[in-house]
């Protein structure tokens, strides 16, 4: 008998095809078919999630046989960790393989927003070039970059920014042993010393609203905010207000509080660059993530050591 698995995420076909071959696989039945889910729920032994999908206490309470949650993504803040821990449920994620892509997109957003690539593109396509040159932008190389969260992704951003001659500093829960970059004890102190503030911290309750009105005020009217972590780390209404009032200069955002819904105020602004949570979204990386998410399920059901369990 194949183990029964429920996906709570919108996963790529190259993963769902493999899951269908190896498991009794059910794709988001909990959200699609209440009657079918009632029959299915007691049999579900594992859940496949993603960086965006939610595994709530309420859902877990309907799935008494679940022992593993395999997250297709590095961030597992969508899982109710307290409820999972109470039940002794193991969680796995897909670290490392997506680090480069996320750091690449962070640099892309920095350059896109500072050099106004999207507005310049519209200027050209709109036939305005003949009227005169496009307005002057903000230089990236040599600027001061502040990183909130110097973990795997934050460090990869720092390495790239180093190559741009940027002056890097960071904040984290504590100074990172061995790091030579200047440490600031909190986001306000960091923001007041940088031109670009990049969020690369974990999501979840401990970082909710960390980038608040005060931090944005400290970043100042010439500062830019970049977020490739989780929408929840930024107080979104405070960000909209700061952009509107010119208290910061611009923002590059890949993540939002209520995805896929993006505040209309942000969508209407030219000084922001918005991408739909694509930081790990390359074929190469998503395939590597699929291998790990699948490998963790296989390991679990064949009694092998898990590839990438998250610490509990
Ligand atoms: C993905 C992510 O968007 O890794 C994460 O935490 O949020 C992203 O890599 C996601 O997990 C794929 O759906």
């Amino acid at each position: 008998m194949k183990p029964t698995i429920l996906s709570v995420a919108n996963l790529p076909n190259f993963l769902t095809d493999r899951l269908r071959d190896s498991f009794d696989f059910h794709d988001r039945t909990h959200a699609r078919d209440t009657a079918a889910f009632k029959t299915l729920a007691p049999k579900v032994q594992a859940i496949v999630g993603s960086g965006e999908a939610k595994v709530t206490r309420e859902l877990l309470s309907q799935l008494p046989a679940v022992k593993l949650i395999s997250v297709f993504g590095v961030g597992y803040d969508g899982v109710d960790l307290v409820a999972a821990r109470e039940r002794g449920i193991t969680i796995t994620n897909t670290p490392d393989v997506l680090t480069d892509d996320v750091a690449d997109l962070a640099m892309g957003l920095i350059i896109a927003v500072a050099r106004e690539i999207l507005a310049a593109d519209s200027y050209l396509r709109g036939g305005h070039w003949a009227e005169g040159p496009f307005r002057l932008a903000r230089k990236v190389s040599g600027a001061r970059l502040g990183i909130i969260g110097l973990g795997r992704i934050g460090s990869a951003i720092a390495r790239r920014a180093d190559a741009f001659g940027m002056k890097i500093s960071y904040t984290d829960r504590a100074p990172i042993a061995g790091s030579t970059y200047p440490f600031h004890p909190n986001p306000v102190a960091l923001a007041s010393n940088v031109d670009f503030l990049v969020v690369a911290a974990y999501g979840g309750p401990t970082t909710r609203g960390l980038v608040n009105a005060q931090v944005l005020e400290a970043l100042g009217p010439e500062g830019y905010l970049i977020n490739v972590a989780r929408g929840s780390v930024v107080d979104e209404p405070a960000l909209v207000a700061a952009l509107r009032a010119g208290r910061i200069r611009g923002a590059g955002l890949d993540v939002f509080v209520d995805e896929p819904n993006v505040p209309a105020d942000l969508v209407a602004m030219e000084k922001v660059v918005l991408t739909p949570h694509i930081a790990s979204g390359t074929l190469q990386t998503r395939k590597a993530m699929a291998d790990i998410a699948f490998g963790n399920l296989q390991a679990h059901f064949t009694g092998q050591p898990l590839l990438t369990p998250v610490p509990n």
Side-chain angles (χ1 to χ4, degrees):
M1 270 258 291
K2 288 179 175 176
T4 300
I5 288 185
L6 174 72
S7 166
V8 298
N10 189 352
L11 300 169
N13 289 342
F14 49 77
L15 177 55
T16 53
D17 289 350
R18 287 169 80 185
L19 293 170
R20 236 172 237 116
D21 281 349
S22 301
F23 303 106
D24 171 30
F25 176 67
H26 299 266
D27 192 4
R28 290 166 286 171
T29 313
H30 66 304
R32 287 179 164 159
D33 187 340
T34 313
F37 183 60
K38 227 174 161 204
T39 320
L40 173 70
K43 295 191 283 183
V44 175
Q45 291 162 273
I47 295 174
V48 193
S50 71
E52 297 93 342
K54 303 273 173 275
V55 180
T56 60
R57 176 180 287 277
E58 204 233 320
L59 178 65
L60 287 177
S61 72
Q62 298 170 74
L63 304 170
V66 164
K67 291 270 183 296
L68 178 79
I69 302 170
S70 173
V71 177
F72 175 72
V74 68
Y76 46 93
D77 50 296
V79 178
D80 186 323
L81 295 178
V82 177
R85 211 167 284 142
E86 281 169 15
R87 283 265 305 277
I89 295 171
T90 303
I91 302 168
T92 61
N93 65 345
T94 65
D96 300 320
V97 292
L98 47 68
T99 301
D100 282 339
D101 272 2
V102 180
D104 289 352
L105 191 82
M107 294 310 294
L109 288 173
I110 289 171
I111 297 170
V113 73
R115 300 300 304 269
E116 302 194 52
I117 292 177
L118 301 188
D121 178 282
S122 302
Y123 188 81
L124 181 155
R125 288 173 201 262
H128 302 295
W129 194 0
E131 297 158 16
F134 185 66
R135 62 181 175 259
L136 299 180
R138 206 276 177 221
K139 181 170 179 171
V140 172
S141 285
R144 298 169 303 165
L145 175 75
I147 301 174
I148 299 182
L150 197 69
R152 284 176 287 235
I153 291 170
S155 301
I157 295 168
R159 285 194 297 278
R160 285 157 175 74
D162 255 334
F164 281 78
M166 298 183 89
K167 295 168 199 74
I168 297 152
S169 55
Y170 74 101
T171 190
D172 208 310
R173 280 164 297 188
I176 305 292
S179 169
T180 52
Y181 302 123
F183 171 78
H184 291 280
N186 55 61
V188 170
L190 178 68
S192 53
N193 281 289
V194 300
D195 306 302
F196 295 89
L197 183 64
V198 179
V199 185
Y202 292 104
T206 55
T207 57
R208 197 172 305 283
L210 191 65
V211 177
N212 55 20
Q214 239 189 318
V215 175
L216 297 168
E217 189 79 42
L219 185 57
E222 295 304 318
Y224 296 85
L225 180 76
I226 309 296
N227 190 0
V228 289
R230 285 290 182 264
S232 61
V233 186
V234 175
D235 178 339
E236 213 167 64
L239 173 61
V240 171
L243 284 161
R244 274 191 146 175
R247 286 195 291 274
I248 68 168
R249 173 111 183 239
L253 308 170
D254 185 51
V255 286
F256 305 88
V257 170
D258 180 29
E259 296 172 9
N261 304 306
V262 177
D265 280 348
L266 285 179
V267 174
M269 281 176 196
E270 218 195 25
K271 55 182 154 187
V272 298
V273 175
L274 309 171
T275 51
H277 202 144
I278 57 163
S280 70
T282 66
L283 185 58
Q284 293 73 16
T285 289
R286 289 281 166 88
K287 283 195 162 170
M289 290 164 63
D291 285 344
I292 299 173
F294 182 79
N296 277 313
L297 286 161
Q298 240 185 355
H300 173 75
F301 286 111
T302 55
Q304 302 297 310
L306 297 168
L307 310 182
T308 49
V310 308
N312 53 41

